[in-house]
Amino acid sequence: MSKTPNPNSTGPSGNADAGKSAGEEATVKVPSKDSKKRDDKKYEHLSEEDLALKQQLELYVERIQDADPGLQKVALEGMRQEIRTATISMTVPKPLKFLRPHYGTLKGFYEKMPDSDLKTLLADILSVLALTMSAEGERESLKYRVLGSQGDIGSWGYEYVRNLAGEIGQEYAWLESEQERPLYDLMKPVQQIVSFNLKHNAEPDAVDLLIEVEDLDLLLEHVDSSNCKRTCSYLTSFAKYLPWPDDILVLDYAYTIYMKFEEYPLALVTALALDNMEFTKKVFTSCDDNLQKRQLCYILARHGQTFDLDEKLCASDEDREALQEIVNNVKLSEGYLALARDIEVMEPKIPDDIYKRHLLDGRASGEQSVDSARQNLAATFVNAFVNAGFGQDKLMTAPSEATSGGSSTSWLFKNKEHGKASAAASLGMILLWDVDSGLAQLDKYLHSTDTHVIAGALLGVGIVNCGIKNDLEPALALLSDYVRKDDPSIRIGAIMGLGLSYAGARNEEISSILIHILEDNKVSLDVIAFTAISLGLVYVGSCHHEIAQEIIYALTDRSEAELGEPLARLLPLALGLLYLGKQIIIYINMA
């Protein structure tokens, strides 16, 4: 029987094994030629310089796999130099592009290499190559970085450092979710990255990495006087987006750093954000500069913080008295008026200066003749706000027009009912912070027979004293008696006056007066609502447990009909004021 010739056989003998061997050789050679043609076509557009670089890198790959350690070292050093130069100067380094086809080859050879300095050098190179060549989720850049020489991390460029930080965050999150121990020490590269970022104005990146690995203590080791402000500025901004108690922890680190580098004003602001009186006192005791202490007092005054200086905080009696006046805002009106005179804005304005009626085409003449109570009320508010703190205006403090009684209260009685209360209270806004003059001018309204006028004057007393702390407690002395009056309008005026006058002061005497009103079931809803608001103002952000309970009891004791009233909404609003900025979940048992 004749034998069918083997189509793969190319040898003259027709031997099957020989044909198979030759056929295998042919199948290897032909694709290599096609692949070479494709590669040549792919790199036809390269310049001579780029083509020379590509060939040089391919030669390095071959030499790295050589048996001679001397050739390996030369090739590794040459490849490292090429990559470092390119990663520093370019966004997309050409060496990484040309070495992409050889990444698998180098990885395979690395696994076969015995432990040596050459192996750690190759690990460094593989860590950089993995920046663009590693499969998603493998985190090979981090793996080879830890296995490498642990040299200068910044020498490979910022993109490499940023990518490594991202892989560390992913690795740490994975370890937490799997509850496994790390295969290698993650904190060594973390320390190198943090040090690099802080030296190159990348403080947010350093803080973000340390928050991901939950080790902000490293900041205290690496922050210096040149970057502490930028670092802490990011910490304090970042804290606003964190839940409690993480925000407190981050602010505490910012405070510690500020104190370490004697940035006392910024440390005080952070201590106030923490609502920590011990930290506030520590700032004062640590600061030796009297001029800087004045600055600290102005910060406390602006914050509205009640703060009593003693001998430990300021040894000199004269200096302590001057600093206490700043904290108490005693000369706030004097300074405000001095500034107004300097910039020449003392001239009182009238509501028409704000309305700009002359700019309304064809409608000004018709509206000028209207003199309604609502329009007068609007003018009262505009006049109060535009002349706030200047101590004079053309409606309430100006001499009155010639009237039958010659009274200086003519504008007051152009309003009706609650409008009168607003007009009387507006005098407190015009005389804002000027306690002596303000109380003298408001006193005449306290003797009126009109309950709305009295209520407005009581509210004006609170406005005048807002933010001012006085050892004589004039607001408390004037308003406490009116809190017990039977008329609801007068009671509300006095209650809100106390709330505004002592806002943020956390005064226990005020709380004892107002809590008794909340506990009285016979008091009407409107009085209860404004009492709760006043307590919320006085103890804003304090998380005062007893006051919160009383407000909740007052809320739950109301009938469904009362809870449907608009004023009932002020009770939960007061509760919100107590916990303002604290992000604490309040559990209320309504049973």
Side-chain angles (χ1 to χ4, degrees):
M1 182 180 289
S2 61
K3 187 179 289 185
T4 305
N6 188 343
N8 293 326
S9 177
T10 56
S13 64
N15 185 282
D17 292 337
K20 182 178 179 182
S21 176
E24 285 179 354
E25 184 180 356
T27 56
V28 171
K29 287 182 179 179
V30 172
S32 65
K33 292 178 181 178
D34 292 344
S35 176
K36 185 176 182 180
K37 288 180 181 178
R38 286 195 299 270
D39 289 343
D40 291 342
K41 187 175 181 181
K42 179 179 179 181
Y43 295 109
E44 282 178 356
H45 64 284
L46 293 178
S47 64
E48 292 183 4
E49 183 181 355
D50 291 347
L51 188 59
L53 175 62
K54 175 180 175 294
Q55 293 172 349
Q56 182 66 43
L57 290 170
E58 290 175 346
L59 181 62
Y60 286 151
V61 173
E62 293 180 10
R63 293 289 186 263
I64 287 171
Q65 302 175 71
D66 198 282
D68 185 358
L71 287 176
Q72 287 183 357
K73 184 174 181 181
V74 172
L76 286 168
E77 291 288 354
M79 184 179 289
R80 180 171 67 174
Q81 184 61 33
E82 292 288 352
I83 294 173
R84 278 184 173 179
T85 305
T87 51
I88 291 174
S89 60
M90 298 181 61
T91 305
V92 184
K94 289 182 180 178
L96 298 188
K97 176 182 177 183
F98 296 148
L99 288 172
R100 180 181 291 276
H102 307 287
Y103 178 62
T105 303
L106 293 173
K107 280 176 58 180
F109 182 73
Y110 174 84
E111 300 298 332
K112 299 176 184 177
M113 290 180 72
D115 292 340
S116 64
D117 293 341
L118 295 178
K119 187 172 184 178
T120 58
L121 185 56
L122 179 56
D124 288 344
I125 294 173
L126 286 172
S127 178
V128 181
L129 295 180
L131 178 65
T132 58
M133 302 172 195
S134 175
E136 186 176 355
E138 291 295 326
R139 299 188 285 281
E140 290 182 339
S141 185
L142 173 61
K143 170 188 172 183
Y144 288 113
R145 174 66 193 178
V146 175
L147 296 173
S149 65
Q150 300 290 324
D152 181 15
I153 199 169
S155 63
W156 300 107
Y158 174 71
E159 282 300 320
Y160 171 73
V161 176
R162 190 177 66 86
N163 178 74
L164 202 60
E167 291 193 4
I168 290 173
Q170 294 172 12
E171 181 74 11
Y172 192 85
W174 181 82
L175 290 171
E176 279 197 326
S177 63
E178 298 294 328
Q179 297 182 350
E180 294 186 6
R181 292 184 177 181
L183 300 176
Y184 29 74
D185 186 5
L186 291 176
M187 297 316 296
K188 287 184 178 179
V190 167
Q191 290 185 4
Q192 292 178 324
I193 293 171
V194 169
S195 178
F196 173 82
N197 285 335
L198 290 175
K199 290 177 181 177
H200 292 81
N201 299 329
E203 293 84 2
D205 294 342
V207 173
D208 288 343
L209 176 59
L210 291 177
I211 288 176
E212 286 188 11
V213 300
E214 299 179 357
D215 194 1
L216 277 172
D217 287 335
L218 280 177
L219 272 181
L220 304 177
E221 300 177 18
H222 294 282
V223 171
D224 56 33
S225 57
S226 65
N227 54 37
C228 73
K229 287 185 179 180
R230 292 192 299 271
T231 302
C232 294
S233 176
Y234 183 73
L235 284 172
T236 52
S237 300
F238 185 78
K240 298 174 184 177
Y241 300 95
L242 292 175
W244 183 89
D246 293 341
D247 58 336
I248 303 299
L249 179 64
V250 171
L251 287 175
D252 188 72
Y253 277 105
Y255 171 82
T256 304
I257 294 172
Y258 278 139
M259 290 296 291
K260 179 180 179 181
F261 295 99
E262 299 182 356
E263 296 289 345
Y264 297 123
L266 295 172
L268 178 60
V269 172
T270 309
L272 292 173
L274 286 166
D275 197 16
N276 190 318
M277 187 56 65
E278 291 300 320
F279 282 2
T280 302
K281 291 180 179 179
K282 187 177 179 181
V283 173
F284 266 86
T285 54
S286 302
C287 181
D288 297 326
D289 185 1
N290 192 51
L291 188 60
Q292 198 169 44
K293 280 190 175 182
R294 292 175 69 89
Q295 183 183 7
L296 299 178
C297 290
Y298 279 115
I299 293 173
L300 288 170
R302 179 66 181 86
H303 191 267
Q305 182 72 43
T306 300
F307 190 77
D308 295 324
L309 293 165
D310 54 25
E311 293 181 358
K312 294 181 180 179
L313 300 176
C314 185
S316 171
D317 293 340
E318 185 178 350
D319 291 340
R320 185 166 63 251
E321 184 179 350
L323 293 175
Q324 190 67 61
E325 284 186 351
I326 295 174
V327 175
N328 292 345
N329 277 325
V330 172
K331 296 185 178 181
L332 182 58
S333 177
E334 181 182 331
Y336 181 78
L337 293 175
L339 173 63
R341 282 190 290 270
D342 287 344
I343 60 178
E344 299 180 353
V345 293
M346 282 294 293
E347 182 66 26
K349 295 180 178 62
I350 59 174
D352 286 342
D353 296 334
I354 308 303
Y355 297 153
K356 307 292 185 185
R357 284 177 173 157
H358 62 281
L359 299 178
L360 300 176
D361 297 335
R363 288 181 286 177
S365 60
E367 292 185 358
Q368 285 177 350
S369 59
V370 178
D371 188 21
S372 66
R374 180 176 295 181
Q375 192 175 34
N376 290 342
L377 180 61
T380 296
F381 281 104
V382 172
N383 179 71
F385 283 113
V386 77
N387 295 299
F390 290 104
Q392 56 182 339
D393 71 319
K394 295 184 177 180
L395 294 183
M396 292 298 298
T397 60
S400 63
E401 301 172 357
T403 58
S404 57
S407 172
S408 62
T409 59
S410 58
W411 176 258
L412 179 69
F413 292 99
K414 287 185 178 180
N415 296 275
K416 296 181 180 179
E417 298 181 352
H418 293 293
K420 294 179 183 178
S422 298
S426 73
L427 188 59
M429 180 67 75
I430 295 166
L431 298 165
L432 185 64
W433 306 318
D434 189 356
V435 177
D436 295 334
S437 178
L439 294 181
Q441 294 197 45
L442 284 164
D443 181 68
K444 58 187 176 184
Y445 297 116
L446 295 176
H447 303 289
S448 174
T449 57
D450 192 321
T451 57
H452 293 292
V453 175
I454 298 174
L458 294 171
L459 184 57
V461 169
I463 296 173
V464 165
N465 285 274
C466 186
I468 308 297
K469 300 173 184 65
N470 194 312
D471 294 337
L472 299 177
E473 303 283 1
L476 180 61
L478 279 171
L479 299 173
S480 57
D481 291 337
Y482 290 92
V483 169
R484 301 176 180 85
K485 296 291 183 180
D486 295 330
D487 186 271
S489 298
I490 294 177
R491 293 190 76 177
I492 290 172
I495 289 167
M496 285 305 300
L498 287 173
L500 292 172
S501 181
Y502 291 91
R506 303 182 185 180
N507 188 299
E508 294 183 3
E509 193 170 356
I510 302 300
S511 65
S512 63
I513 293 173
L514 298 182
I515 282 180
H516 287 309
I517 300 175
L518 285 181
E519 294 172 345
D520 190 351
N521 295 327
K522 298 179 181 179
V523 178
S524 59
L525 176 62
D526 54 352
V527 175
I528 289 289
F530 285 106
T531 301
I533 287 292
S534 291
L535 282 169
L537 289 172
V538 175
Y539 284 86
V540 61
S542 66
C543 306
H544 197 288
H545 180 67
E546 182 183 354
I547 295 175
Q549 273 192 333
E550 292 299 333
I551 293 175
I552 293 170
Y553 291 151
L555 186 64
T556 54
D557 287 345
R558 298 291 136 182
S559 64
E560 291 187 10
E562 286 181 311
L563 292 176
E565 295 291 329
L567 285 173
R569 302 171 187 171
L570 296 181
L571 290 167
L573 175 60
L575 203 59
L577 286 172
L578 288 176
Y579 293 91
L580 183 65
K582 298 304 179 183
Q583 301 184 25
I584 297 176
I585 301 174
I586 306 172
Y587 296 96
I588 303 176
N589 184 5
M590 303 296 289

